[in-house]
Amino acid sequence: MKDKKYIILIVVIILMMIGMSIAESNKPKPLDWSPTFINSKTDPYGTYIAYQLLGDIFDKNNIRSTRRPIYNNLKKNVDDYFGYDESYAYNDGDGDDSSSVEDQELRDSIIVLVEAGDTLSAVDLYKKHTGTGLYEAKRYVDNLAKWLDAAKADPSAWYRDLESLNDTTSYIFINRTFSVDKLDLEYLLDFVGLGNDVFISAESFSKNLLDTLKIKVDGVKQPSDTIFSLVDSPGKKYSFGSIYSQMKLTSEKDSRFAVRALGFNAKWDTVFVEVNYGKGRFYLHTLPSAFANISQLQIDKYDFAFRSLSYLPKNSKIVWDEYQKQGAIGENSEFRVIFDSIPLRIAFYIVIIGLLLFMIFRAKRTQRAIPVINPPVNSSLEFLSTISNLYYRKKDFKDIAEKRHAYFLDFIRKNYYLSTENINDEFVTVLSSKSGLEVEKLNNLFLLYEDIATLVYISNDTFLKYNSLLEEFYKKAKNK
């Protein structure tokens, strides 16, 4: 009777939870106003619409999103282009890289002399360390001086001497904050220097990126009805009432990069710039909310984002970054998918609660527990092992041999029913036929023991020889 009541109670609780789950699933989902800029979210500040409409200005077959770091996406292409040889690029501790270190030190010393204007000393230094002639040394120093002049004019100018790419790629980042570490930045710079483009729309940028491009960021006060415009369409005005960004971009005085302003606010503060780097361009855009769903649904605002993207080559491949917003695929908890979905989350809780209820109601035992009685442990083998170790450590091999031989004779009596009082040729012949061990080896075994019995002390080698013959006998006897 009690069991029926428990079953009814469990069924009622489970039905109530299922009803709550259905009601919760059918309830309208509240809007998420957080600025995630995730391309799969249809909330106000997701970028689902912008990502789906990319196919209107670029080839749909050339568009892909990625949830891998910059380094993982660019490493193969950049390394293959430059032909990096990792075995040469660094020393792993097994080889000698002293020559490369000396070459670098020589180059650095010559650069110091060239920058100081002392080219004659630079030529003499190169001749002394390399053993080359005057003409070759002068040509090296002249080329190095030209390289330094070009680097001062534009640090990325050397990319222009490289072979042009057949297909270019545009890397798009739409984030609240854009961050990049040293390694990712190196690959991103090489990627752009080769002729590709990077479009970054964010409200804050990595300091190392800004320092490299010589771009300065200043905070500005922008009211909610601030008007924005683009250089290529000055007649159109855009107002982002729910804007977050309060930044303007300016080029530093010592910048050697060509910088072009592409977008302004009402006070003519620059909010969108193009920075030439090598053969490619960086686009820094401070209005990521222009790409948000809430802006894309308003007829007077939606085209601001796509006019900004129109500076990218139309035939370019497009890589849309989601790694900085969502992380790598499979990251975080194994239950992430379950907890991201309300119905799955409720079902998970129902299963857990159901298991707990089952454990509670089945905790009462229907039969007294039967104690476990362990069988007696046979410790004779352990005892024999201990005794044998003691004998072996004492090095009393004769005593061990005598005990083993006594056991050997006892084994013959019990298993072959032979008397062991007289060990003669007839006994050996009969034992050989019964055990399977050759007569010669049995004779050696008994003769060796007679020698052992007459000696006061026997060596380890003699004992091992006797023991091997004995073990061979047991092996033959057991396998027969």
Side-chain angles (χ1 to χ4, degrees):
M1 192 67 181
K2 288 184 179 179
D3 289 341
K4 289 184 179 180
K5 290 182 179 180
Y6 290 147
I7 293 172
I8 293 171
L9 178 61
I10 293 172
V11 170
V12 170
I13 293 174
I14 292 175
L15 289 175
M16 289 177 63
M17 289 185 174
I18 292 173
M20 291 172 60
S21 174
I22 295 172
E24 187 70 26
S25 300
N26 294 330
K27 188 175 71 173
K29 187 179 178 181
L31 287 177
D32 181 8
W33 287 87
S34 58
T36 60
F37 301 112
I38 293 175
N39 68 342
S40 59
K41 287 205 170 186
T42 56
D43 296 312
Y45 281 92
T47 53
Y48 176 81
I49 298 175
Y51 183 73
Q52 295 300 318
L53 293 178
L54 277 180
D56 292 349
I57 57 176
F58 302 105
D59 185 353
K60 291 183 179 179
N61 296 324
N62 290 336
I63 300 172
R64 69 179 180 90
S65 64
T66 178
R67 290 183 63 178
R68 301 172 66 203
I70 295 171
Y71 168 81
N72 296 69
N73 281 320
L74 304 183
K75 176 175 171 53
K76 185 178 186 304
N77 293 336
V78 172
D79 285 2
D80 288 349
Y81 189 89
F82 285 111
Y84 290 154
D85 184 358
E86 295 185 358
S87 64
Y88 175 80
Y90 66 93
N91 180 264
D92 60 3
D94 296 329
D96 181 12
D97 63 346
S98 59
S99 60
S100 62
V101 172
E102 290 176 0
D103 292 344
Q104 185 61 42
E105 290 177 350
L106 175 61
R107 179 182 172 87
D108 293 342
S109 300
I110 293 175
I111 288 175
V112 172
L113 292 173
V114 171
E115 289 181 339
D118 191 357
T119 56
L120 292 177
S121 297
V123 171
D124 291 339
L125 182 63
Y126 185 80
K127 284 173 55 183
K128 179 181 177 181
H129 281 79
T130 61
T132 57
L134 176 63
Y135 174 76
E136 186 176 345
K138 189 174 184 305
R139 185 176 62 176
Y140 176 84
V141 173
D142 288 344
N143 289 336
L144 190 59
K146 291 178 182 178
W147 180 83
L148 289 172
D149 291 339
K152 289 179 182 178
D154 182 356
S156 65
W158 67 275
Y159 286 104
R160 300 189 183 97
D161 296 331
L162 301 176
E163 184 180 351
S164 298
L165 296 172
N166 295 326
D167 297 317
T168 61
T169 303
S170 298
Y171 212 141
I172 299 176
F173 298 86
I174 311 295
N175 304 341
R176 178 73 186 272
T177 300
F178 177 78
S179 60
V180 62
D181 59 26
K182 182 179 178 181
L183 181 62
D184 284 346
L185 179 60
E186 288 178 2
Y187 276 86
L188 203 62
L189 293 173
D190 283 340
F191 173 74
V192 175
L194 292 173
N196 301 293
D197 299 294
V198 170
F199 185 97
I200 306 170
S201 183
E203 296 179 2
S204 64
F205 302 88
S206 256
K207 187 177 184 300
N208 52 358
L209 173 65
L210 296 175
D211 291 343
T212 302
L213 300 180
K214 298 296 182 181
I215 298 295
K216 186 179 178 182
V217 175
D218 295 314
V220 294
K221 292 183 178 180
Q222 294 180 355
S224 60
D225 58 348
T226 296
I227 301 298
F228 297 93
S229 61
L230 296 171
V231 170
D232 290 351
S233 53
K236 295 208 66 172
K237 306 296 180 183
Y238 302 89
S239 175
F240 296 95
S242 55
I243 197 69
Y244 283 88
S245 177
Q246 293 186 351
M247 291 192 307
K248 68 175 180 179
L249 305 172
T250 55
S251 178
E252 295 183 6
K253 293 181 180 180
D254 61 342
S255 175
R256 302 180 184 92
F257 301 107
V259 179
R260 180 164 67 117
L262 301 177
F264 303 93
N265 62 13
K267 297 180 180 179
W268 291 102
D269 295 321
T270 305
V271 296
F272 180 26
V273 297
E274 173 191 83
V275 183
N276 288 341
Y277 187 88
K279 291 184 177 182
R281 290 161 297 277
F282 278 95
Y283 293 94
L284 303 184
H285 189 275
T286 65
L287 305 171
S289 58
F291 295 86
N293 295 325
I294 191 172
S295 299
Q296 294 299 305
L297 292 173
Q298 300 182 49
I299 195 169
D300 58 335
K301 297 180 182 181
Y302 80 95
D303 62 332
F304 183 88
F306 292 97
R307 286 181 184 272
S308 300
L309 290 175
S310 66
Y311 291 97
L312 300 175
K314 188 175 181 180
N315 60 346
S316 177
K317 296 178 181 178
I318 301 298
V319 179
W320 178 287
D321 178 77
E322 286 293 314
Y323 175 77
Q324 295 207 12
K325 293 170 283 190
Q326 300 190 62
I329 294 176
E331 213 171 61
N332 303 323
S333 169
E334 290 80 359
F335 297 99
R336 181 176 55 83
V337 175
I338 293 176
F339 290 120
D340 284 347
S341 171
I342 293 177
L344 287 178
R345 187 165 66 243
I346 293 175
F348 178 76
Y349 290 149
I350 289 175
V351 171
I352 297 298
I353 294 172
L355 289 174
L356 290 174
L357 289 173
F358 176 79
M359 292 172 64
I360 291 170
F361 289 111
R362 296 296 296 176
K364 183 181 178 181
R365 293 183 181 274
T366 56
Q367 181 179 344
R368 188 177 64 178
I370 300 173
V372 177
I373 301 175
N374 296 319
V377 178
N378 184 3
S379 59
S380 57
L381 292 177
E382 294 179 5
F383 175 75
L384 288 174
S385 176
T386 303
I387 296 300
S388 62
N389 282 333
L390 289 174
Y391 272 100
Y392 186 78
R393 289 179 182 179
K394 287 177 64 178
K395 306 294 183 181
D396 191 355
F397 298 119
K398 180 178 179 180
D399 195 14
I400 298 175
E402 289 176 349
K403 287 180 170 53
R404 291 219 64 185
H405 195 74
Y407 179 78
F408 168 56
L409 296 178
D410 184 66
F411 179 84
I412 293 172
R413 290 192 294 271
K414 287 183 178 179
N415 290 276
Y416 302 126
Y417 307 105
L418 296 175
S419 174
T420 57
E421 290 184 3
N422 296 316
I423 308 298
N424 50 33
D425 292 340
E426 182 182 355
F427 172 81
V428 171
T429 303
V430 174
L431 180 60
S432 175
S433 63
K434 289 191 175 185
S435 65
L437 189 64
E438 295 86 346
V439 172
E440 183 182 354
K441 290 186 178 180
L442 283 172
N443 282 326
N444 291 337
L445 176 62
F446 287 111
L447 289 174
L448 184 59
Y449 179 73
E450 287 180 5
D451 293 339
I452 291 172
T454 58
L455 297 173
V456 178
Y457 171 80
I458 64 171
S459 64
N460 186 30
D461 294 337
T462 304
F463 173 74
L464 291 176
K465 184 178 179 181
Y466 169 77
N467 189 68
S468 63
L469 289 171
L470 203 57
E471 291 297 329
E472 187 175 356
F473 169 80
Y474 286 130
K475 185 176 181 181
K476 288 278 187 179
K478 290 178 181 177
N479 292 335
K480 188 175 178 181

